[in-house]
Amino acid sequence: MSIQLEQSWKEVFVDEFEKGYMKNLLSYIQNEQKEGRTIFPPNRFIFNAFNYTPFNAVKVVILGQDPYHGQGQAHGLSFSVQKGVNTPPSLKNIFKELVDDIPGFRTPLHGDLTQWADQGVLLLNATLTVEANKPGSHQKKGWEIFTDKVIAELSARRMGVVFLLWGKFAQEKAVLIDKSKHHILTATHPSPYSAANGFFFCRHFSKTNQILQDNNLKPIDWQLD
């Protein structure tokens, strides 16, 4: 499997793709595909989060767990779906919070969050692939080793990144982040099962922009065209 990775991330992880766990992981995915199993997202999209948001451009991290497992949904950005695909329930709740939180925000007609990624929002899933219709099927295959290192490297080499950790799984990653250098905002997961217990009215989007402005950084335009 050929790895297409944006240059700044390639420099940070220059040796990572030669390590045993990563070789085993990529071989596993290739073998699954050879045996006829459908893997999401398509290979060209697996590293999209990094390719849209260079290492030194990261201002915000939104951490998800694994990609959507339905046809045409996942394209390598956490919580995001490709245009033309129905907006999933968690993303609908994210948009609902944005309507309440950001004055003038209009609910988008699609769920493609690429515009956020282009502005410095790293939309990172802890696991970067999944077998079709089998949620969680590629967890504990090695992706978490890599994505934990992504978080740790951002923590070590950057300053003032805003980490949005929604739900217990994401919040467990807080141990990887230097709280003296970065900002961590936590809430329940935007899933319909938990959004009403602390995601709604968390105001993470306006709080993020206030933090960025306080640090003389351009705020995120959360509105999607």
Side-chain angles (χ1 to χ4, degrees), residues 72-101:
Q73 291 182 304
H75 63 134
L77 305 177
S78 63
F79 293 101
S80 181
V81 291
Q82 299 183 72
K83 287 180 178 173
V85 175
N86 289 336
T87 303
S90 290
L91 186 52
K92 284 183 178 177
N93 285 338
I94 290 171
F95 290 158
K96 184 176 179 183
E97 173 60 19
L98 276 158
V99 168
D100 288 336
D101 187 21

PDB file of all heavy atoms in Angstrom, residues 72-101:
ATOM      1  N   GLY A  72     -19.685   4.973   1.096  1.00  0.00           N
ATOM      2  CA  GLY A  72     -19.572   6.355   0.657  1.00  0.00           C
ATOM      3  C   GLY A  72     -19.480   7.389   1.762  1.00  0.00           C
ATOM      4  O   GLY A  72     -19.424   8.589   1.483  1.00  0.00           O
ATOM      5  N   GLN A  73     -19.456   6.961   3.022  1.00  0.00           N
ATOM      6  CA  GLN A  73     -19.450   7.936   4.127  1.00  0.00           C
ATOM      7  C   GLN A  73     -18.043   8.447   4.434  1.00  0.00           C
ATOM      8  O   GLN A  73     -17.762   9.637   4.282  1.00  0.00           O
ATOM      9  CB  GLN A  73     -20.047   7.296   5.391  1.00  0.00           C
ATOM     10  CG  GLN A  73     -21.533   7.017   5.343  1.00  0.00           C
ATOM     11  CD  GLN A  73     -22.020   6.426   6.661  1.00  0.00           C
ATOM     12  OE1 GLN A  73     -21.528   5.414   7.142  1.00  0.00           O
ATOM     13  NE2 GLN A  73     -23.014   7.069   7.255  1.00  0.00           N
ATOM     14  N   ALA A  74     -17.163   7.565   4.899  1.00  0.00           N
ATOM     15  CA  ALA A  74     -15.865   7.982   5.427  1.00  0.00           C
ATOM     16  C   ALA A  74     -14.949   8.510   4.333  1.00  0.00           C
ATOM     17  O   ALA A  74     -14.858   7.931   3.244  1.00  0.00           O
ATOM     18  CB  ALA A  74     -15.199   6.809   6.137  1.00  0.00           C
ATOM     19  N   HIS A  75     -14.257   9.596   4.650  1.00  0.00           N
ATOM     20  CA  HIS A  75     -13.223  10.088   3.723  1.00  0.00           C
ATOM     21  C   HIS A  75     -12.021  10.634   4.489  1.00  0.00           C
ATOM     22  O   HIS A  75     -11.335  11.538   4.028  1.00  0.00           O
ATOM     23  CB  HIS A  75     -13.789  11.114   2.737  1.00  0.00           C
ATOM     24  CG  HIS A  75     -14.327  12.376   3.349  1.00  0.00           C
ATOM     25  ND1 HIS A  75     -14.031  13.622   2.851  1.00  0.00           N
ATOM     26  CD2 HIS A  75     -15.129  12.591   4.413  1.00  0.00           C
ATOM     27  CE1 HIS A  75     -14.641  14.547   3.577  1.00  0.00           C
ATOM     28  NE2 HIS A  75     -15.313  13.946   4.526  1.00  0.00           N
ATOM     29  N   GLY A  76     -11.759  10.045   5.671  1.00  0.00           N
ATOM     30  CA  GLY A  76     -10.515  10.314   6.368  1.00  0.00           C
ATOM     31  C   GLY A  76     -10.541  11.482   7.328  1.00  0.00           C
ATOM     32  O   GLY A  76      -9.493  11.824   7.884  1.00  0.00           O
ATOM     33  N   LEU A  77     -11.693  12.094   7.551  1.00  0.00           N
ATOM     34  CA  LEU A  77     -11.829  13.204   8.487  1.00  0.00           C
ATOM     35  C   LEU A  77     -12.861  12.811   9.547  1.00  0.00           C
ATOM     36  O   LEU A  77     -13.971  12.417   9.210  1.00  0.00           O
ATOM     37  CB  LEU A  77     -12.294  14.477   7.770  1.00  0.00           C
ATOM     38  CG  LEU A  77     -11.459  14.955   6.586  1.00  0.00           C
ATOM     39  CD1 LEU A  77     -12.102  16.183   5.946  1.00  0.00           C
ATOM     40  CD2 LEU A  77     -10.027  15.267   7.008  1.00  0.00           C
ATOM     41  N   SER A  78     -12.504  12.934  10.821  1.00  0.00           N
ATOM     42  CA  SER A  78     -13.422  12.512  11.878  1.00  0.00           C
ATOM     43  C   SER A  78     -14.728  13.292  11.817  1.00  0.00           C
ATOM     44  O   SER A  78     -14.733  14.500  11.567  1.00  0.00           O
ATOM     45  CB  SER A  78     -12.771  12.683  13.256  1.00  0.00           C
ATOM     46  OG  SER A  78     -12.482  14.040  13.531  1.00  0.00           O
ATOM     47  N   PHE A  79     -15.821  12.581  12.010  1.00  0.00           N
ATOM     48  CA  PHE A  79     -17.198  13.101  12.034  1.00  0.00           C
ATOM     49  C   PHE A  79     -17.704  13.554  10.657  1.00  0.00           C
ATOM     50  O   PHE A  79     -18.887  13.844  10.505  1.00  0.00           O
ATOM     51  CB  PHE A  79     -17.355  14.251  13.051  1.00  0.00           C
ATOM     52  CG  PHE A  79     -17.205  13.812  14.472  1.00  0.00           C
ATOM     53  CD1 PHE A  79     -16.017  14.024  15.158  1.00  0.00           C
ATOM     54  CD2 PHE A  79     -18.243  13.159  15.133  1.00  0.00           C
ATOM     55  CE1 PHE A  79     -15.859  13.606  16.479  1.00  0.00           C
ATOM     56  CE2 PHE A  79     -18.102  12.737  16.455  1.00  0.00           C
ATOM     57  CZ  PHE A  79     -16.909  12.965  17.122  1.00  0.00           C
ATOM     58  N   SER A  80     -16.846  13.638   9.664  1.00  0.00           N
ATOM     59  CA  SER A  80     -17.201  14.180   8.350  1.00  0.00           C
ATOM     60  C   SER A  80     -17.667  13.083   7.401  1.00  0.00           C
ATOM     61  O   SER A  80     -17.194  11.945   7.470  1.00  0.00           O
ATOM     62  CB  SER A  80     -15.968  14.886   7.761  1.00  0.00           C
ATOM     63  OG  SER A  80     -16.232  15.450   6.500  1.00  0.00           O
ATOM     64  N   VAL A  81     -18.584  13.425   6.515  1.00  0.00           N
ATOM     65  CA  VAL A  81     -18.991  12.524   5.431  1.00  0.00           C
ATOM     66  C   VAL A  81     -18.885  13.268   4.105  1.00  0.00           C
ATOM     67  O   VAL A  81     -18.928  14.499   4.053  1.00  0.00           O
ATOM     68  CB  VAL A  81     -20.428  11.983   5.607  1.00  0.00           C
ATOM     69  CG1 VAL A  81     -20.505  11.017   6.773  1.00  0.00           C
ATOM     70  CG2 VAL A  81     -21.441  13.102   5.760  1.00  0.00           C
ATOM     71  N   GLN A  82     -18.774  12.489   3.046  1.00  0.00           N
ATOM     72  CA  GLN A  82     -18.683  13.096   1.725  1.00  0.00           C
ATOM     73  C   GLN A  82     -20.009  13.744   1.325  1.00  0.00           C
ATOM     74  O   GLN A  82     -21.083  13.344   1.777  1.00  0.00           O
ATOM     75  CB  GLN A  82     -18.293  12.028   0.698  1.00  0.00           C
ATOM     76  CG  GLN A  82     -16.938  11.397   0.982  1.00  0.00           C
ATOM     77  CD  GLN A  82     -16.532  10.400  -0.069  1.00  0.00           C
ATOM     78  OE1 GLN A  82     -16.196  10.758  -1.191  1.00  0.00           O
ATOM     79  NE2 GLN A  82     -16.569   9.121   0.277  1.00  0.00           N
ATOM     80  N   LYS A  83     -19.898  14.762   0.481  1.00  0.00           N
ATOM     81  CA  LYS A  83     -21.100  15.425  -0.013  1.00  0.00           C
ATOM     82  C   LYS A  83     -21.980  14.418  -0.737  1.00  0.00           C
ATOM     83  O   LYS A  83     -21.500  13.512  -1.413  1.00  0.00           O
ATOM     84  CB  LYS A  83     -20.712  16.575  -0.943  1.00  0.00           C
ATOM     85  CG  LYS A  83     -20.134  17.750  -0.190  1.00  0.00           C
ATOM     86  CD  LYS A  83     -19.749  18.899  -1.100  1.00  0.00           C
ATOM     87  CE  LYS A  83     -19.216  20.064  -0.275  1.00  0.00           C
ATOM     88  NZ  LYS A  83     -18.665  21.144  -1.108  1.00  0.00           N
ATOM     89  N   GLY A  84     -23.285  14.586  -0.582  1.00  0.00           N
ATOM     90  CA  GLY A  84     -24.234  13.668  -1.192  1.00  0.00           C
ATOM     91  C   GLY A  84     -24.635  12.522  -0.291  1.00  0.00           C
ATOM     92  O   GLY A  84     -25.530  11.749  -0.623  1.00  0.00           O
ATOM     93  N   VAL A  85     -23.968  12.408   0.866  1.00  0.00           N
ATOM     94  CA  VAL A  85     -24.275  11.360   1.845  1.00  0.00           C
ATOM     95  C   VAL A  85     -25.081  11.993   2.977  1.00  0.00           C
ATOM     96  O   VAL A  85     -24.803  13.114   3.402  1.00  0.00           O
ATOM     97  CB  VAL A  85     -22.964  10.745   2.404  1.00  0.00           C
ATOM     98  CG1 VAL A  85     -23.262   9.736   3.501  1.00  0.00           C
ATOM     99  CG2 VAL A  85     -22.172  10.099   1.272  1.00  0.00           C
ATOM    100  N   ASN A  86     -26.078  11.271   3.476  1.00  0.00           N
ATOM    101  CA  ASN A  86     -26.893  11.790   4.580  1.00  0.00           C
ATOM    102  C   ASN A  86     -26.030  12.116   5.794  1.00  0.00           C
ATOM    103  O   ASN A  86     -25.108  11.369   6.132  1.00  0.00           O
ATOM    104  CB  ASN A  86     -27.965  10.775   4.979  1.00  0.00           C
ATOM    105  CG  ASN A  86     -29.055  10.637   3.940  1.00  0.00           C
ATOM    106  OD1 ASN A  86     -29.292  11.549   3.139  1.00  0.00           O
ATOM    107  ND2 ASN A  86     -29.725   9.495   3.924  1.00  0.00           N
ATOM    108  N   THR A  87     -26.338  13.211   6.452  1.00  0.00           N
ATOM    109  CA  THR A  87     -25.591  13.622   7.644  1.00  0.00           C
ATOM    110  C   THR A  87     -25.883  12.655   8.789  1.00  0.00           C
ATOM    111  O   THR A  87     -27.037  12.481   9.173  1.00  0.00           O
ATOM    112  CB  THR A  87     -25.989  15.052   8.051  1.00  0.00           C
ATOM    113  OG1 THR A  87     -25.759  15.926   6.947  1.00  0.00           O
ATOM    114  CG2 THR A  87     -25.178  15.518   9.244  1.00  0.00           C
ATOM    115  N   PRO A  88     -24.859  12.019   9.365  1.00  0.00           N
ATOM    116  CA  PRO A  88     -25.078  11.068  10.466  1.00  0.00           C
ATOM    117  C   PRO A  88     -25.572  11.780  11.730  1.00  0.00           C
ATOM    118  O   PRO A  88     -25.381  12.999  11.893  1.00  0.00           O
ATOM    119  CB  PRO A  88     -23.688  10.461  10.687  1.00  0.00           C
ATOM    120  CG  PRO A  88     -22.922  10.771   9.451  1.00  0.00           C
ATOM    121  CD  PRO A  88     -23.450  12.072   8.951  1.00  0.00           C
ATOM    122  N   PRO A  89     -26.184  11.025  12.648  1.00  0.00           N
ATOM    123  CA  PRO A  89     -26.786  11.629  13.841  1.00  0.00           C
ATOM    124  C   PRO A  89     -25.824  12.458  14.694  1.00  0.00           C
ATOM    125  O   PRO A  89     -26.191  13.534  15.157  1.00  0.00           O
ATOM    126  CB  PRO A  89     -27.313  10.419  14.620  1.00  0.00           C
ATOM    127  CG  PRO A  89     -27.560   9.375  13.581  1.00  0.00           C
ATOM    128  CD  PRO A  89     -26.500   9.576  12.549  1.00  0.00           C
ATOM    129  N   SER A  90     -24.603  11.975  14.922  1.00  0.00           N
ATOM    130  CA  SER A  90     -23.663  12.740  15.755  1.00  0.00           C
ATOM    131  C   SER A  90     -23.334  14.076  15.108  1.00  0.00           C
ATOM    132  O   SER A  90     -23.233  15.107  15.789  1.00  0.00           O
ATOM    133  CB  SER A  90     -22.379  11.948  15.997  1.00  0.00           C
ATOM    134  OG  SER A  90     -22.624  10.848  16.847  1.00  0.00           O
ATOM    135  N   LEU A  91     -23.152  14.066  13.793  1.00  0.00           N
ATOM    136  CA  LEU A  91     -22.833  15.313  13.092  1.00  0.00           C
ATOM    137  C   LEU A  91     -24.031  16.260  13.088  1.00  0.00           C
ATOM    138  O   LEU A  91     -23.867  17.486  13.211  1.00  0.00           O
ATOM    139  CB  LEU A  91     -22.364  15.007  11.672  1.00  0.00           C
ATOM    140  CG  LEU A  91     -21.858  16.194  10.847  1.00  0.00           C
ATOM    141  CD1 LEU A  91     -20.786  16.981  11.586  1.00  0.00           C
ATOM    142  CD2 LEU A  91     -21.321  15.709   9.502  1.00  0.00           C
ATOM    143  N   LYS A  92     -25.226  15.714  13.006  1.00  0.00           N
ATOM    144  CA  LYS A  92     -26.426  16.562  13.129  1.00  0.00           C
ATOM    145  C   LYS A  92     -26.425  17.284  14.477  1.00  0.00           C
ATOM    146  O   LYS A  92     -26.784  18.466  14.562  1.00  0.00           O
ATOM    147  CB  LYS A  92     -27.699  15.709  13.000  1.00  0.00           C
ATOM    148  CG  LYS A  92     -28.029  15.295  11.576  1.00  0.00           C
ATOM    149  CD  LYS A  92     -29.340  14.517  11.540  1.00  0.00           C
ATOM    150  CE  LYS A  92     -29.702  14.129  10.115  1.00  0.00           C
ATOM    151  NZ  LYS A  92     -30.941  13.318  10.065  1.00  0.00           N
ATOM    152  N   ASN A  93     -26.013  16.574  15.525  1.00  0.00           N
ATOM    153  CA  ASN A  93     -25.969  17.194  16.847  1.00  0.00           C
ATOM    154  C   ASN A  93     -24.853  18.231  16.956  1.00  0.00           C
ATOM    155  O   ASN A  93     -24.999  19.238  17.656  1.00  0.00           O
ATOM    156  CB  ASN A  93     -25.825  16.121  17.927  1.00  0.00           C
ATOM    157  CG  ASN A  93     -27.120  15.374  18.169  1.00  0.00           C
ATOM    158  OD1 ASN A  93     -28.203  15.874  17.863  1.00  0.00           O
ATOM    159  ND2 ASN A  93     -27.029  14.174  18.710  1.00  0.00           N
ATOM    160  N   ILE A  94     -23.749  17.993  16.265  1.00  0.00           N
ATOM    161  CA  ILE A  94     -22.681  19.002  16.211  1.00  0.00           C
ATOM    162  C   ILE A  94     -23.217  20.275  15.556  1.00  0.00           C
ATOM    163  O   ILE A  94     -22.999  21.392  16.047  1.00  0.00           O
ATOM    164  CB  ILE A  94     -21.456  18.451  15.452  1.00  0.00           C
ATOM    165  CG1 ILE A  94     -20.762  17.368  16.292  1.00  0.00           C
ATOM    166  CG2 ILE A  94     -20.479  19.567  15.096  1.00  0.00           C
ATOM    167  CD1 ILE A  94     -19.668  16.605  15.558  1.00  0.00           C
ATOM    168  N   PHE A  95     -23.945  20.113  14.457  1.00  0.00           N
ATOM    169  CA  PHE A  95     -24.523  21.280  13.779  1.00  0.00           C
ATOM    170  C   PHE A  95     -25.565  21.973  14.659  1.00  0.00           C
ATOM    171  O   PHE A  95     -25.658  23.205  14.679  1.00  0.00           O
ATOM    172  CB  PHE A  95     -25.148  20.866  12.453  1.00  0.00           C
ATOM    173  CG  PHE A  95     -24.160  20.451  11.392  1.00  0.00           C
ATOM    174  CD1 PHE A  95     -24.563  19.638  10.329  1.00  0.00           C
ATOM    175  CD2 PHE A  95     -22.836  20.867  11.436  1.00  0.00           C
ATOM    176  CE1 PHE A  95     -23.660  19.267   9.343  1.00  0.00           C
ATOM    177  CE2 PHE A  95     -21.921  20.489  10.451  1.00  0.00           C
ATOM    178  CZ  PHE A  95     -22.344  19.684   9.403  1.00  0.00           C
ATOM    179  N   LYS A  96     -26.325  21.174  15.407  1.00  0.00           N
ATOM    180  CA  LYS A  96     -27.328  21.754  16.305  1.00  0.00           C
ATOM    181  C   LYS A  96     -26.654  22.621  17.359  1.00  0.00           C
ATOM    182  O   LYS A  96     -27.120  23.736  17.671  1.00  0.00           O
ATOM    183  CB  LYS A  96     -28.139  20.632  16.960  1.00  0.00           C
ATOM    184  CG  LYS A  96     -29.285  21.123  17.839  1.00  0.00           C
ATOM    185  CD  LYS A  96     -30.110  19.961  18.377  1.00  0.00           C
ATOM    186  CE  LYS A  96     -31.238  20.462  19.279  1.00  0.00           C
ATOM    187  NZ  LYS A  96     -32.013  19.337  19.862  1.00  0.00           N
ATOM    188  N   GLU A  97     -25.551  22.144  17.916  1.00  0.00           N
ATOM    189  CA  GLU A  97     -24.802  22.928  18.900  1.00  0.00           C
ATOM    190  C   GLU A  97     -24.228  24.190  18.261  1.00  0.00           C
ATOM    191  O   GLU A  97     -24.219  25.263  18.872  1.00  0.00           O
ATOM    192  CB  GLU A  97     -23.694  22.070  19.516  1.00  0.00           C
ATOM    193  CG  GLU A  97     -22.742  22.817  20.442  1.00  0.00           C
ATOM    194  CD  GLU A  97     -23.408  23.460  21.649  1.00  0.00           C
ATOM    195  OE1 GLU A  97     -24.541  23.063  22.012  1.00  0.00           O
ATOM    196  OE2 GLU A  97     -22.786  24.368  22.237  1.00  0.00           O
ATOM    197  N   LEU A  98     -23.748  24.077  17.038  1.00  0.00           N
ATOM    198  CA  LEU A  98     -23.209  25.250  16.351  1.00  0.00           C
ATOM    199  C   LEU A  98     -24.282  26.318  16.137  1.00  0.00           C
ATOM    200  O   LEU A  98     -24.016  27.512  16.290  1.00  0.00           O
ATOM    201  CB  LEU A  98     -22.606  24.832  15.007  1.00  0.00           C
ATOM    202  CG  LEU A  98     -21.165  24.319  15.077  1.00  0.00           C
ATOM    203  CD1 LEU A  98     -20.833  23.447  13.877  1.00  0.00           C
ATOM    204  CD2 LEU A  98     -20.180  25.488  15.179  1.00  0.00           C
ATOM    205  N   VAL A  99     -25.494  25.893  15.794  1.00  0.00           N
ATOM    206  CA  VAL A  99     -26.602  26.846  15.624  1.00  0.00           C
ATOM    207  C   VAL A  99     -26.835  27.611  16.926  1.00  0.00           C
ATOM    208  O   VAL A  99     -27.056  28.833  16.927  1.00  0.00           O
ATOM    209  CB  VAL A  99     -27.887  26.124  15.170  1.00  0.00           C
ATOM    210  CG1 VAL A  99     -29.103  27.041  15.273  1.00  0.00           C
ATOM    211  CG2 VAL A  99     -27.733  25.620  13.735  1.00  0.00           C
ATOM    212  N   ASP A 100     -26.762  26.902  18.060  1.00  0.00           N
ATOM    213  CA  ASP A 100     -26.981  27.532  19.362  1.00  0.00           C
ATOM    214  C   ASP A 100     -25.793  28.383  19.804  1.00  0.00           C
ATOM    215  O   ASP A 100     -25.958  29.358  20.543  1.00  0.00           O
ATOM    216  CB  ASP A 100     -27.247  26.459  20.434  1.00  0.00           C
ATOM    217  CG  ASP A 100     -28.614  25.816  20.295  1.00  0.00           C
ATOM    218  OD1 ASP A 100     -29.506  26.454  19.716  1.00  0.00           O
ATOM    219  OD2 ASP A 100     -28.781  24.673  20.764  1.00  0.00           O
ATOM    220  N   ASP A 101     -24.602  28.000  19.358  1.00  0.00           N
ATOM    221  CA  ASP A 101     -23.373  28.590  19.893  1.00  0.00           C
ATOM    222  C   ASP A 101     -22.826  29.752  19.058  1.00  0.00           C
ATOM    223  O   ASP A 101     -22.316  30.723  19.618  1.00  0.00           O
ATOM    224  CB  ASP A 101     -22.314  27.478  19.991  1.00  0.00           C
ATOM    225  CG  ASP A 101     -21.038  27.918  20.678  1.00  0.00           C
ATOM    226  OD1 ASP A 101     -21.071  28.919  21.418  1.00  0.00           O
ATOM    227  OD2 ASP A 101     -20.003  27.267  20.480  1.00  0.00           O
TER     228      ASP A 101
END
